[in-house]
Structures are given as structure tokens and as C-alpha cells.
Amino acid sequence: MAKGTADHRKAGSATAEAAANIAFIKYWGAVDLEAAIPANPSISMTLSSCVSRCSCRPLVGVSEDEILFRDESGSLNPAVAAFAGRVRGHLDRLRARMGYEGYFRIATENSFPAGAGMASSASGFCALALAVSASVEGGAPDPEELSIRARISGSGSATRSAMGGYVVWPSEPSGEGPAKIRFPASHWDLRDLVAVVQTEEKKVSSLDGHKLAPTSPHYRRRLEVLPERMERVVRALSERDFATFADVLEEEAIDLHLIAMSSRPAVFYWKPATLAVLEQVRRMRSDGLEAASTMDAGANVHVLCTPESEPAVAERLAKIPGVGRVIADRVGSGPRLLDSEVN
Ligand code: PMV
């Protein structure tokens, strides 16, 4: 539908589900933070079980959106101000892009702990973009348009959750374009075991982390080495070469945290158990298991592994002191519309 032609009388309710993603090469630092135009390309794997669900219902006779979030007690309550503010900003940009003027009731829930470096913003804003699009336009936009609609939330990683499999973003140098599937989910059945060492909200949001990144004396060097690192990841994925994949995955994760820890002021996301997991995963590899660690902006460790190694890796992760639980996930096929409402 062309911009500016959405007819509010035709809008209906819609519910969408989108999964989080785990970046192999991370988005860290922006050219334009508000528009989520990244300073470097990133690549991630879209997950399957760590999902957000979002329902969008058009409201009549009101002058603001109603934003609800399912809290830890299980009930659907008005969202806290900071989250509601980000959702309203995203809704305003979606309305402008679709030429729609009405307000919505938005209800969101996550299948995993929010705010702990597990990309709840990626799945949440992507599910929101899809639910609102389907509510206004009667169906899902094409994945590239959905990717842009997810990006205008301000969460760059949401751009990649619009597609399944192994996803690069941006797919063109300008940084404004959509994400793109580099390999479909069927290319390599990788598993992601998330060793949860922290479930409370992290103290420094990724938005603040992006802002601080250029203050690290190592940031410029990071941008210089990333093209070669990206090439190595893509080659390892293409050849399903786990040993190379493990090397480059860990190199990149440590680099992201090195930038964070050397920013001014410094940002420390790790907990003691984070280091314990990193050490144990290296030991697993020397014992012949295919396992490799990465972290986003948080303390939890995503341990990528092959299906053959998964049972032994899960068992060993669960025994590490400080690991509260291990969430088992795998590569997924992208967002979808659902029949049942979040209520
Ligand atoms: O999408 P944002 O603004 O929440 O930033 C994502 C930052 C990382 O998760 C650390 C990296 C990434 O590419 O997902």
C-alpha cells in the first residue's frame, strides 16, 4: 500500500510472534543512533523459542495508545513509563510510514527474561511492527519492508529479527536498507544454549552502549578489522566449519566487551559466572565438543553448538555455579502472524 493511504475504518486486530536473534558480528556504535543507522554491518542467527508475542487492536474515540506488558507475575499491566515511551515513539513512526492516524491497544509478552542482554528489544519491536502492519494493512508486509519497519523502533537488532536463518544487516552500504537472509535456517542446524547468569534489568542499555562506543580508544581499530572478521564468519557458515566459527565468534564477543569496558565511562556487563561459562566452553572444545560462546550487551552467555554436541554441552553448562538455568534454542525461520490474541 502506498504511503499515506491507510484507511482507519478497515483496521482490525492482529497478533504477531517474532524471535530474538543472537549476533555473531555485533552492531555496536551508530552513525545515526535515533534512526538506528549502524556504524558497521552485523550478522546474526534468528532464534526459534525465545519469542515476543504482540497483539494490536485499533481503538476508537481515544487520543492515545494503550500499552500493556505481561509482567513476571503473569498478569497484563500498563507498561512501565520508559518502555511505553519507546513503544509510543515506534507507533508514531509506523503510523507516519503507513499513513494511518488512529490509536492502538498494544499487548506484549516475552517467553524469556527481558532486559538481560537477550535481545528482547529485537523480538519485541519486530513483533510490534508486524502486528501493527497486519492490523492496518490486513496482512504482513514483505520481509524487507518489515525489516525497515522494525528498525524505525530505534533498536537496530530488531531489523534482523524480521527474517529467519542467518541474517546480515545492512544489506547495502548506506545502512538504511533492510536486512537480508545470507543463509536460510535449513543451511545449518545450529543450537543456542543460553546460560542465564542474570535475569534482572542490566544497568546500561544497549542504546547508551552505542553512544559510548566511540569513546573507547579501541573503537576505530574495531571498525577497521570488522570487514575481514565478517568475511571469516560468512565463510565458516558457508562451509559449516565449526572450528573457524568458534574462533571468530569468541574473538568478536570479547572485542565487543573490550570496547564496552574501555569506554568512558566504562561499561561492565559481565558477572563472575560469565567468565566461568567462557572458561568451561573452552574446556568443552578441548574435550572434543563443538561449542562456542558469545554475549550481547549483558552477562548471559549464548553457547552455540551442533545438535551432536548439544546434550553434553547442556549438561555441563547446568552444573556451573552461578548458572541459574539454561534456555535451549535453535535457528528459527522468522516471524509469523498468530490467530490467538495476547490477553
Ligand atoms: O538493537 P540494539 O540497539 O538493542 O543493539 C544491539 C546490540 C547488541 O545486541 C550488543 C549487538 C547486536 O548486534 O545484536
Side-chain angles (χ1 to χ4, degrees):
M1 181 175 293
K3 202 175 163 186
T5 59
D7 181 347
H8 69 274
R9 288 162 308 186
K10 290 194 186 141
S13 295
T15 299
E17 179 179 278
N21 63 77
I22 177 65
F24 300 160
I25 299 285
K26 321 280 185 182
Y27 157 44
W28 201 242
V31 171
D32 179 341
L33 190 59
E34 211 161 296
I37 308 295
N40 65 274
S42 53
I43 181 166
S44 59
M45 176 174 105
T46 299
L47 299 177
S48 171
S49 316
C50 288
V51 293
S52 298
R53 280 178 220 101
C54 176
S55 290
C56 173
R57 198 190 294 165
L59 297 174
V60 282
V62 299
S63 54
E64 66 173 11
D65 300 303
E66 185 186 353
I67 318 291
L68 304 170
F69 183 73
R70 188 173 315 285
D71 62 25
E72 259 137 53
S73 75
S75 49
L76 208 52
N77 286 318
V80 294
F83 176 69
R86 280 194 77 183
V87 171
R88 288 201 173 93
H90 191 195
L91 289 173
D92 286 344
R93 290 185 286 273
L94 288 169
R95 277 188 278 261
R97 190 164 177 97
M98 291 188 284
Y100 181 80
E101 285 175 0
Y103 292 94
F104 303 107
R105 174 189 184 270
I106 298 293
T108 295
E109 62 186 17
N110 290 329
S111 70
F112 58 101
M118 291 179 60
S120 57
S121 56
S123 52
F125 286 118
C126 184
L128 178 70
L130 179 53
V132 172
S133 299
S135 163
V136 171
E137 296 174 346
D142 68 60
E144 300 206 334
E145 174 61 17
L146 175 62
S147 169
I148 291 169
R149 289 183 188 182
R151 195 201 84 225
I152 58 176
S153 63
S155 167
S157 54
T159 316
R160 299 184 309 241
S161 276
M163 291 161 200
Y166 301 88
V167 179
V168 290
W169 167 65
S171 54
E172 55 190 61
S174 80
E176 291 190 28
K180 195 174 165 182
I181 297 176
R182 190 67 181 75
F183 303 102
S186 58
H187 173 72
W188 199 5
D189 181 16
L190 282 181
R191 307 294 164 91
D192 180 15
L193 298 175
V194 190
V196 180
V197 304
Q198 181 188 32
T199 53
E200 72 266 22
E201 196 83 29
K202 63 198 178 202
K203 291 201 177 65
V204 180
S205 69
S206 38
L207 275 182
D208 286 334
H210 292 302
K211 244 182 254 167
L212 289 172
T215 68
S216 162
H218 306 292
Y219 183 63
R220 194 178 286 273
R221 185 236 358 115
R222 168 174 168 75
L223 294 181
E224 279 165 20
V225 300
L226 277 179
E228 186 268 342
R229 194 177 285 160
M230 174 66 99
E231 252 180 65
R232 258 191 297 149
V233 175
V234 170
R235 203 175 332 117
L237 288 172
S238 158
E239 295 167 7
R240 300 183 197 87
D241 170 356
F242 198 90
T244 306
F245 173 68
D247 271 0
V248 65
L249 192 74
E250 294 191 359
E251 176 183 310
E252 165 65 1
I254 301 302
D255 201 24
L256 170 90
H257 285 268
L258 168 83
I259 300 296
M261 290 176 191
S262 57
S263 292
R264 292 173 191 150
V267 184
F268 275 78
Y269 288 115
W270 293 4
K271 297 283 169 205
T274 308
L275 268 175
V277 176
L278 295 181
E279 190 189 7
Q280 178 60 234
V281 170
R282 282 201 300 272
R283 201 169 305 145
M284 289 181 201
R285 273 207 302 284
S286 57
D287 293 345
L289 291 171
E290 290 183 309
S293 311
T294 188
M295 294 84 64
D296 277 343
N300 298 327
V301 185
H302 291 249
V303 182
L304 279 294
C305 58
T306 55
E308 296 73 33
S309 293
E310 184 183 8
V313 175
E315 205 184 310
R316 286 171 70 162
L317 288 176
K319 287 189 187 141
I320 301 173
V323 173
R325 65 194 263 226
V326 178
I327 299 174
D329 213 332
R330 59 174 67 191
V331 63
S333 53
R336 60 193 180 122
L337 291 170
L338 301 176
D339 291 330
S340 57
E341 231 191 11
V342 175
N343 60 28

